[in-house]
Amino acid sequence: MLDSWRWYGDFDKISLSDIAQTGAQGIVTALHEIPYGEVWPQAAIAKHKRAIEDAGFVWSVVESLPIHERIKRGAGDLTPLFDNYRASMRNLAAEGVYTVCYNFMPLLDWTRTDLSEPVAGGGTCLRFSQQKMAAFEVHMLQRDGAEADYSPAILQQAEDWFKQSTPQDRDVLLRSIMAGLPGAFERFDVEGLRQALIPYHGIDRATLRANYKRFLEEIIPTAEALGMRFCVHPDDPPRDILGLPRIVSDAEDIAWILAAVDSPANGLTFCAGSLGANWANDLPKMAGQFAERIHFAHLRNVRKDQDGSFEEAAHLAGDTDMVALVHELLQEETRRRGAGRADYSIPFRPDHGHELLSDKTAGTHPGYPLIGRMRGQAELRGVIQALSH
Ligand code: DNO
């Protein structure tokens, strides 16, 4: 497996020379400074790639080439947006960067309610609390119909939390919910989010699926022609939030996507952390089921509560059998090697890590501390080595 590490470029407090000390070989990155919908110029891609290669890495995956919200909503004349997207693809391929991760989550990316939840032994993790999400939706955002998405018990706990919360608690909650949006993006306040939700009224699961299929039909033939591999990142959490449909959450969704445009270029980022937060998902089984189309893996773990809350566990702790999952991925690599594929190695990266030791004061991106991720990566590397022996 191609041992990789996410780097946010100039936005990252962790430099390429720091990353070199982690032992990673591949860099997962994007041109985060370019607003969604605009073309990634070839010169900028070349410059980014040169910095990566000069530091001794390969640029293993683009994460992400973001999709403009209008494409997700199917709103207006999309031709210029698809043209720009294909232009970025051509520029990436011209520079020899072929694997591209993206997501199709409306409006938000990964979403948590707590960025610093204490873990046993010290350090902190990211957490999604169903109670706090309900408090946010019902009492802060005051979204019509939000109550219907939560059980009476959760609604009561949400009300209790809201009543005793200080303005600062509410501000921290808002900022936590917004923390998942990377790069050149809009980060909403409560009113901004209310406004941003309006154009999504009436967009149900079927409509979002139709818009996604259109995107795939526009993009995948170009990806095939350029020898690129696209890999969709699952929804996080893997269920509807804020009344917005989410359509990359379980095995049925993924089977639908991969069949919507049935091409090896239309693949999956197997994010164990995102998929693992859904009780219905059996991860080793899903990895086996979709093995051929997995072009990238995010390996991390979560521990779930019965009420829908979950928190990020250490990479080998939590509810997902990481060893069984890695075993499936290694078996797929063996198949690829047997089929004579030079690019048989599946890039993986440790995903979110706990904030440990000096991470606390380092000011790195939420979920992306140096030491916590290094711990996760070292543990994963041990599993990979042992299973490959
Ligand atoms: C979370 C990440 C996601 C991912 C995007 C891909 O840490 O895995 O934000 O980068 O969803 O488009």
Side-chain angles (χ1 to χ4, degrees), residues 25-53:
Q25 292 148 5
I27 291 291
V28 171
T29 187
L31 300 187
H32 288 290
E33 65 281 9
I34 299 184
Y36 293 13
E38 289 183 18
V39 177
W40 288 17
Q42 190 176 338
I45 296 167
K47 185 166 170 243
H48 206 57
K49 188 176 182 231
R50 208 171 316 118
I52 293 166
E53 291 183 346

Side-chain angles (χ1 to χ4, degrees), residues 194-222:
R194 236 175 242 142
Q195 294 304 318
L197 284 167
I198 293 171
Y200 271 99
H201 283 165
I203 297 193
D204 59 8
R205 190 178 162 76
T207 311
L208 193 63
R209 269 193 171 180
N211 296 345
Y212 188 12
K213 187 160 195 271
R214 173 160 178 214
F215 168 78
L216 291 171
E217 286 165 350
E218 291 276 353
I219 289 320
I220 296 300
T222 306

Side-chain angles (χ1 to χ4, degrees), residues 17-228:
S17 57
D18 293 337
I19 300 171
Q21 295 187 39
T22 70
Q25 292 148 5
I27 291 291
V28 171
T29 187
L31 300 187
H32 288 290
E33 65 281 9
I34 299 184
Y36 293 13
E38 289 183 18
V39 177
W40 288 17
Q42 190 176 338
I45 296 167
K47 185 166 170 243
H48 206 57
K49 188 176 182 231
R50 208 171 316 118
I52 293 166
E53 291 183 346
D54 286 352
F57 300 101
V58 293
W59 185 348
S60 51
V61 182
V62 174
E63 179 174 350
S64 313
L65 185 54
I67 300 179
H68 198 276
E69 290 302 316
R70 281 211 290 116
I71 294 181
K72 297 179 201 166
R73 296 201 312 265
D77 177 12
L78 299 183
T79 309
L81 286 175
F82 288 129
D83 285 345
N84 284 359
Y85 203 90
R86 283 185 292 257
S88 298
M89 292 166 68
R90 277 191 293 274
N91 292 343
L92 283 164
E95 292 299 324
V97 184
Y98 293 110
T99 304
V100 177
C101 169
Y102 67 97
N103 73 72
F104 214 80
M105 290 178 247
L107 227 43
L108 297 187
D109 196 311
W110 61 272
T111 306
R112 297 290 180 275
T113 57
D114 299 270
L115 303 180
S116 311
E117 187 74 5
V119 292
T124 60
C125 70
L126 307 182
R127 179 172 168 82
F128 183 93
S129 148
Q130 191 78 340
Q131 293 80 1
K132 284 194 187 172
M133 195 67 201
F136 177 75
E137 287 207 63
V138 175
H139 300 288
M140 291 171 63
L141 188 62
Q142 299 172 339
R143 179 174 74 76
D144 279 348
E147 284 89 349
D149 291 349
Y150 297 94
S151 70
I154 292 286
L155 288 171
Q156 185 58 54
Q157 290 161 9
E159 192 181 327
D160 295 346
W161 181 87
F162 183 71
K163 277 191 180 146
Q164 57 78 50
S165 66
T166 62
Q168 200 210 345
D169 293 335
R170 283 171 240 149
D171 188 49
V172 169
L173 177 57
L174 172 70
R175 281 190 289 112
S176 303
I177 290 172
M178 291 302 142
L181 292 166
F185 50 79
E186 267 182 282
R187 219 164 245 175
F188 306 110
D189 57 13
V190 167
E191 186 49 35
L193 183 56
R194 236 175 242 142
Q195 294 304 318
L197 284 167
I198 293 171
Y200 271 99
H201 283 165
I203 297 193
D204 59 8
R205 190 178 162 76
T207 311
L208 193 63
R209 269 193 171 180
N211 296 345
Y212 188 12
K213 187 160 195 271
R214 173 160 178 214
F215 168 78
L216 291 171
E217 286 165 350
E218 291 276 353
I219 289 320
I220 296 300
T222 306
E224 280 178 348
L226 294 169
M228 299 182 91

